[in-house]
Amino acid sequence: MTTVDIPAGWPATEEQARAVQDELRPKTVLDEPGPPPGTGRVTGVDVAYDDERDIVAAAAVVLDAATLEVVAEATAVGRVSFPYVPGLLAFREIPAVLAALDALPCPPGLVVCDGYGRAHPRRFGLASHLGVLTGLPTLGVAKNPFTFTYDDPEARRGAWTPLLAGPEEVGRALRTRAGVKPVFVSVGHRVSLDNACAHTLALTPAYRLPETTRRADALCRRALRAATTGPGVREAY
């Protein structure tokens, strides 16, 4: 497990964080298709918090895209780096997520975030932010539509409808299980929306959420428990 310090110069105010988003957003690459679904490696990242101790734990889990078997995993734990502000959650999570990715023994390939990319009020959610900082292809698969609107897709698996900000399509509501609430897919960086949806379907053979998200969620929760219940917790954090 890697211990993470808050980076020097990390934004401390909402104004500073929004300025960083404005600076980085034009660097988002939206005209690449990304890796073909079911090939190479695909990595899930997720975080868990202990708000009382002000601790965040991040996990990165690498899967073989063809078999969905775990290839590698890593965790990182540190102090929460930014207050809770809707639309600026990336600033709470990215230092720990970057540390977990850096701790992997192999390249992560495509990165799937439990959150948003273009489906964000400023069109620069966690998946976009992480992609620009790392150069990796990224996408976001969220559990809810944030502030955006959509029509309910058909009940069959694979059905989708646009996720809309007015007339603009910022993502898709995608049915990964027949008759089950859709997930909300958006492009992060260096992946097309069609491919982002195809990857999401390839990663959901049995459950609503991608295997990447499910594995990373379980791992970051275990890392948080270990960090907050082990000896020397108060001294370490």
Side-chain angles (χ1 to χ4, degrees):
M1 183 185 300
T2 301
T3 302
V4 185
D5 294 323
I6 298 175
W10 195 249
T13 67
E14 294 182 35
E15 182 180 12
Q16 291 171 347
R18 291 192 179 97
V20 170
Q21 288 180 331
D22 289 340
E23 176 188 355
L24 296 180
R25 183 173 52 248
K27 299 179 181 180
T28 308
V29 174
L30 302 174
D31 59 356
E32 292 185 15
T39 63
R41 293 171 179 150
V42 57
T43 296
V45 294
D46 202 2
V47 299
Y49 295 96
D50 183 320
D51 291 321
E52 291 184 1
R53 292 188 174 93
D54 197 34
I55 294 173
V56 59
V61 180
V62 185
L63 304 183
D64 180 288
T67 64
L68 301 187
E69 294 180 354
V70 174
V71 174
E73 57 187 34
T75 59
V77 175
R79 289 200 175 276
V80 176
S81 55
F82 197 82
Y84 174 81
V85 180
L88 299 177
L89 299 186
F91 293 92
R92 288 168 62 83
E93 302 182 359
I94 277 182
V97 170
L98 287 174
L101 287 171
D102 286 345
L104 289 171
C106 61
L110 174 77
V111 177
V112 180
C113 299
D114 178 25
Y116 308 95
R118 295 285 292 173
H120 179 273
R122 299 172 67 79
R123 304 299 181 268
F124 199 70
L126 172 65
S128 302
H129 201 149
L130 188 64
V132 168
L133 290 181
T134 63
L136 296 168
T138 58
L139 62 95
V141 181
K143 301 178 186 72
N144 63 67
F146 207 170
T147 60
F148 304 111
T149 61
Y150 70 99
D151 293 327
D152 202 37
E154 295 176 17
R156 63 179 175 82
R157 169 175 157 84
W160 62 269
T161 56
L163 190 62
L164 298 171
E168 181 186 1
E169 183 183 44
V170 295
R172 289 177 184 167
L174 176 67
R175 192 87 68 183
T176 55
R177 302 296 296 160
V180 174
K181 180 182 176 182
V183 297
F184 302 91
V185 180
S186 56
V187 169
H189 182 65
R190 298 181 59 204
V191 180
S192 69
L193 186 53
D194 283 344
N195 255 2
C197 289
H199 279 290
T200 302
L201 288 173
L203 291 167
T204 52
Y207 298 95
R208 174 181 176 241
L209 295 178
E211 286 300 304
T212 41
T213 299
R214 297 179 67 251
R215 304 289 183 94
D217 174 77
L219 182 58
C220 69
R221 291 177 187 274
R222 291 198 299 272
L224 184 65
R225 285 195 298 271
T228 54
T229 60
V233 168
R234 295 188 183 277
E235 291 76 7
Y237 296 99

